Amino acid sequence: MTQLFVVGTGPGDAQLVAPKALAAIKASTDLVAYGLYLDLLGDVCNDKQHHDLPLGEEIGRARLALNLAASGKTTALISSGDIGIYAMATLVFELLDQQLQGKEDHPEWLDVEIQVVPGISAMQAGASRVGALLGHDFCTVSLSDLLTPWETIEKRIHSAGTGDFVISFYNPVSRKRDWQLNHARDILLQYRPASTPVLLGRQLTREDESIRIITLGELDAKDVDMFTMVSVGNSESRHIVNGSREWIYTPRGYSKKL
């Protein structure tokens, strides 16, 4: 049986790539990814056949990876962060589901052995940079309405606000989408104070990383780009300062025991 590794390589820092992910890449002859992800991995990708498809070609990448594996090539489909969170793993299984329903004509895909290798997500990397932002219940919401209707996204933001979840926004803005983040901010302001701490983490763990701590009231889409993770604390999240060092943490209720 041929092998397809579906690999998450973390937020960018080579030291945060899991040993199991490295082993999967080393075992593969063919690597399928957006080119930047292979560049970030460095020498481990040497002597491999690279299949670099641009952003926007996610379906093509998943199809190519399945086809390569089905042809007998040990293949790694690679994405940054965790490949199961807003990434390529779901497309692989959606294509397999389509095949099982008779909507695809690739029965050879069903003979591929698939192993998903998780990675550290951007929200985890961002939270670690400022302390313990994800210390209590949290959720993620993608603000991209390319595949999900905005009405559905808006309902989920209201639900996160009602539930008082720490919330991390993926895909907060893009060149063609510049209003959703401010709208999301205004929704959350109905449920938590304007002083709620917010993390803006750009290019997390990479050479040009930028970390800012602001408040929910200060959050503005003009200060965010597609490389930025936006994480909003809940109503109890605390921003604390010790000299030049500052942190955010979300308490779990231990103060009653301290």
Side-chain angles (χ1 to χ4, degrees):
M1 184 172 285
T2 55
Q3 180 79 57
L4 172 60
F5 296 105
V6 182
V7 182
T9 57
D13 186 340
Q15 296 184 40
L16 294 178
V17 182
K20 193 168 186 177
L22 291 174
I25 294 167
K26 290 176 181 178
S28 300
T29 61
D30 290 69
L31 309 179
V32 181
Y34 171 51
L36 173 63
Y37 303 153
L38 300 180
D39 294 341
L40 289 169
L41 286 168
D43 293 345
V44 71
C45 297
N46 291 349
D47 303 320
K48 310 289 182 182
Q49 185 66 44
H50 293 194
H51 304 271
D52 175 4
L53 276 71
L55 292 177
E57 294 292 332
E58 287 76 19
I59 296 175
R61 266 182 259 147
R63 285 183 177 277
L64 176 58
L66 283 166
N67 287 335
L68 287 167
S71 73
K73 297 179 178 179
T74 302
T75 303
L77 175 61
I78 296 170
S79 181
S80 65
D82 184 298
I83 200 162
I85 300 178
Y86 301 118
M88 296 296 301
T90 186
L91 265 174
V92 170
F93 293 106
E94 190 165 357
L95 287 170
L96 290 177
D97 190 13
Q98 294 283 303
Q99 175 61 38
L100 288 167
Q101 294 180 54
K103 297 178 181 179
E104 292 281 348
D105 188 22
H106 293 280
E108 67 276 11
W109 289 351
L110 301 180
D111 293 326
V112 174
E113 181 179 342
I114 298 173
Q115 181 177 350
V116 179
V117 182
I120 294 173
S121 69
M123 70 173 174
Q124 290 172 291
S128 74
R129 284 294 196 250
V130 295
L133 177 57
L134 304 179
H136 209 331
D137 296 336
F138 62 89
C139 67
T140 67
V141 174
S142 171
L143 292 182
S144 173
D145 57 357
L146 294 177
L147 300 175
T148 305
W150 176 252
E151 293 77 13
T152 299
I153 297 171
E154 188 173 48
K155 181 171 69 174
R156 290 171 178 169
I157 299 169
H158 276 287
S159 296
T162 301
D164 199 26
F165 288 92
V166 175
I167 181 169
S168 293
F169 289 118
Y170 281 70
N171 306 308
V173 300
S174 71
R175 292 170 186 168
K176 296 181 180 179
R177 295 184 299 100
D178 60 359
W179 60 269
Q180 286 92 338
L181 180 60
N182 286 354
H183 194 74
R185 172 204 63 203
D186 293 342
I187 292 173
L188 290 180
L189 283 170
Q190 299 175 36
Y191 301 98
R192 59 195 68 174
S195 58
T196 301
V198 174
L199 162 67
L200 301 183
R202 187 176 187 278
Q203 296 282 40
L204 286 161
T205 80
R206 303 178 186 180
E207 289 185 0
D208 53 347
E209 177 186 79
S210 172
I211 298 289
R212 291 181 59 202
I213 297 175
I214 61 172
T215 66
L216 182 58
E218 295 170 328
L219 179 60
D220 195 301
K222 66 178 176 57
D223 300 321
V224 174
D225 64 15
M226 63 191 298
F227 301 106
T228 306
M229 163 62 61
V230 179
S231 292
V232 182
N234 70 12
S235 63
E236 296 186 354
S237 296
R238 296 270 296 153
H239 176 203
I240 58 177
V241 180
N242 179 24
S244 61
R245 189 70 175 96
E246 52 185 333
W247 299 275
I248 307 174
Y249 77 98
T250 303
R252 292 187 60 197
Y254 286 112
S255 60
K256 298 172 185 177
K257 298 179 179 290
L258 297 176

